[in-house]
Amino acid sequence: MAKPTVDFWYEFASTYSYPAAFRVEAVAARFGVAVRWRVFALGPLFKAEGLPADSPFNWQAAKGRYMWRDVARLCADLDLAFAPPDPFPQPSLLAARVALLGEDAGWDAAFAKAVFAAEFADGAPIGERGVIAGILTDLGLDADAILEAATSADNKARLRTVTGEAHGLGIFGAPDFVTPDGELFWGNDRMEAAFRWALAHAERVPGGAPGG
Amino acid sequence: MAKPTVDFWYEFASTYSYPAAFRVEAVAARFGVAVRWRVFALGPLFKAEGLPADSPFNWQAAKGRYMWRDVARLCADLDLAFAPPDPFPQPSLLAARVALLGEDAGWDAAFAKAVFAAEFADGAPIGERGVIAGILTDLGLDADAILEAATSADNKARLRTVTGEAHGLGIFGAPDFVTPDGELFWGNDRMEAAFRWALAHAERVPGGAPGG
């Protein structure tokens, strides 16, 4: 049976996407599923729900206070440094546009984790071109060429298309996990349930290598 | 060390409170914690957050569609019958006022589970006095006397006071778990984390019986 691939949908401004990004690979390996990282933009989906463009954690005060405490607890359990970004949410479009290019080239997960760490552990302003350039350079990549391609009209349109795909899947928050049969699981805390679902509903692929 | 007591805050209109109510006792027994059932009214807390009085699952369409699927999956995993109530949310104040009296008399958990099953498995209109009377009678209780006391001005004020207590604890949704040191955990999916927290942060009670 081929290893099922679960899509991990994340948004750089999303607090719960941070611990999810730092545990998804280990948890997937433990379950024996493959993960495809899928960056998207959450703002347009808030708008589609008729919500303010700002984070719900800002315009719902008690929920916001709870979220900061909850994410701090989750990160402590994972031995993951955590400091709330200021301001929150951070502008995430530039990083998302760059991550799309990384999906093609295979450095998206490494880039995404570096951006999340810069944002949620180191307090870096990830909306700034210089911060993203520094992360790309640290990964041994050509920052100038990537940033030029990332901010092209074509690539901006690509992020809109991908975000429309997320909307079509029923996504309204982040992070999410979508199984090969299209089942949606919302939240860092549903990662394991999504992987279990993917394994329980995996189709047998004729000629597929066992566990392959 | 005395067994720590975790407060389980629930609201009869809350979909996720249903599976939580039906698993909380077994999970608490497994962890070795005690549970105190605490009914409250969620509507006033939505209002305090500046939200519409209606369920967020009604005015956020994609989130609502997801919730129905998610709760159906959770109930299937628990072998718990589930059918979305119509209309949703059901009027929950009468049941909440009755449950408060059950907290004093010790039949609150049995009553709450019966109400949740009537609402989310059997499609009963739990806002109707006759439905609640039937549940009380089935429990061997004096339905008329209890309903009279439940709808007294004093008991209505008590529900408002308790809901204010929930607000003061930081509660904004349901269900919730609050540990003896005041730590808030929101959601059926945080039950285990709350119990782990309560055990890890339990104070040693001088003279307390081991595990007692």
Side-chain angles (χ1 to χ4, degrees):
Chain A
M1 196 167 74
K3 196 185 269 195
T5 297
V6 174
D7 280 4
F8 165 48
W9 290 85
Y10 65 97
E11 144 73 82
F12 283 115
S14 151
T15 49
Y16 286 100
S17 292
Y18 167 52
F22 274 89
R23 71 189 193 92
V24 67
E25 290 164 317
V27 178
R30 181 155 56 82
F31 275 80
V33 303
V35 170
R36 185 164 61 141
W37 293 56
R38 304 294 311 271
V39 74
F40 75 109
L42 192 47
L45 303 193
F46 285 152
K47 210 171 156 183
E49 281 283 83
L51 302 180
D54 193 8
S55 168
F57 298 124
N58 284 344
W59 54 268
Q60 295 177 46
K63 188 180 230 176
R65 279 190 297 274
Y66 175 79
M67 179 278 289
W68 293 115
R69 178 69 182 157
D70 191 44
V71 174
R73 285 189 309 228
L74 292 169
C75 290
D77 281 349
L78 296 168
D79 281 323
L80 205 56
F82 177 66
D86 181 19
F88 172 81
Q90 288 281 303
S92 58
L93 283 180
L94 178 62
R97 288 167 181 152
V98 169
L100 277 182
L101 301 179
E103 291 178 11
D104 305 332
W107 45 260
D108 56 333
F111 172 75
K113 286 186 286 182
V115 172
F116 278 124
E119 179 183 14
F120 289 111
D122 303 334
I126 61 150
E128 290 184 11
R129 194 177 171 102
V131 169
I132 300 300
I135 289 170
L136 290 168
T137 303
D138 285 349
L139 291 170
L141 298 165
D142 183 342
D144 284 343
I146 290 169
L147 282 164
E148 190 179 329
T151 52
S152 69
D154 274 4
N155 196 57
K156 288 179 178 178
R158 178 176 171 184
L159 184 59
R160 285 193 293 273
T161 300
V162 164
T163 296
E165 185 188 343
H167 190 213
L169 291 166
I171 287 175
F172 55 91
D176 309 271
F177 304 89
V178 180
T179 63
D181 59 340
E183 196 73 18
L184 171 65
F185 293 84
W186 169 49
N188 169 59
D189 49 20
R190 287 294 194 283
M191 184 188 293
E192 287 82 354
F195 292 167
R196 272 193 296 271
W197 183 281
L199 290 169
H201 297 79
E203 289 174 297
R204 287 180 181 279
V205 178
Chain B
M1 196 168 70
K3 196 184 269 195
T5 297
V6 174
D7 279 4
F8 165 48
W9 289 86
Y10 65 98
E11 145 72 82
F12 284 114
S14 151
T15 49
Y16 287 100
S17 292
Y18 168 52
F22 274 88
R23 71 189 194 93
V24 66
E25 290 163 319
V27 177
R30 182 156 54 82
F31 276 80
V33 302
V35 170
R36 185 164 61 143
W37 294 55
R38 303 295 311 272
V39 74
F40 74 109
L42 192 47
L45 304 194
F46 286 153
K47 210 170 157 185
E49 282 282 83
L51 303 179
D54 193 9
S55 168
F57 298 125
N58 285 343
W59 54 268
Q60 296 176 47
K63 188 180 229 175
R65 281 191 296 274
Y66 175 79
M67 179 278 290
W68 292 115
R69 178 68 182 155
D70 192 45
V71 174
R73 286 190 308 229
L74 292 169
C75 290
D77 281 348
L78 295 169
D79 282 322
L80 205 56
F82 176 67
D86 180 22
F88 172 81
Q90 288 281 302
S92 58
L93 283 180
L94 179 62
R97 287 167 181 151
V98 169
L100 277 182
L101 301 178
E103 291 177 11
D104 305 333
W107 45 259
D108 56 335
F111 172 75
K113 286 186 285 183
V115 173
F116 277 124
E119 179 183 13
F120 289 110
D122 304 333
I126 61 150
E128 290 184 9
R129 194 177 171 103
V131 170
I132 299 299
I135 288 170
L136 290 168
T137 303
D138 286 349
L139 291 170
L141 299 164
D142 182 342
D144 285 342
I146 289 169
L147 281 163
E148 190 179 329
T151 52
S152 70
D154 274 3
N155 196 57
K156 289 179 178 178
R158 179 177 170 183
L159 184 59
R160 286 192 293 274
T161 301
V162 164
T163 296
E165 185 188 344
H167 191 214
L169 291 166
I171 287 175
F172 56 90
D176 309 271
F177 304 89
V178 179
T179 64
D181 58 340
E183 197 74 17
L184 171 65
F185 293 83
W186 169 49
N188 168 58
D189 51 18
R190 287 293 195 283
M191 184 188 293
E192 287 82 354
F195 292 168
R196 272 193 295 272
W197 183 282
L199 290 169
H201 297 81
E203 289 175 297
R204 289 182 177 278
V205 178

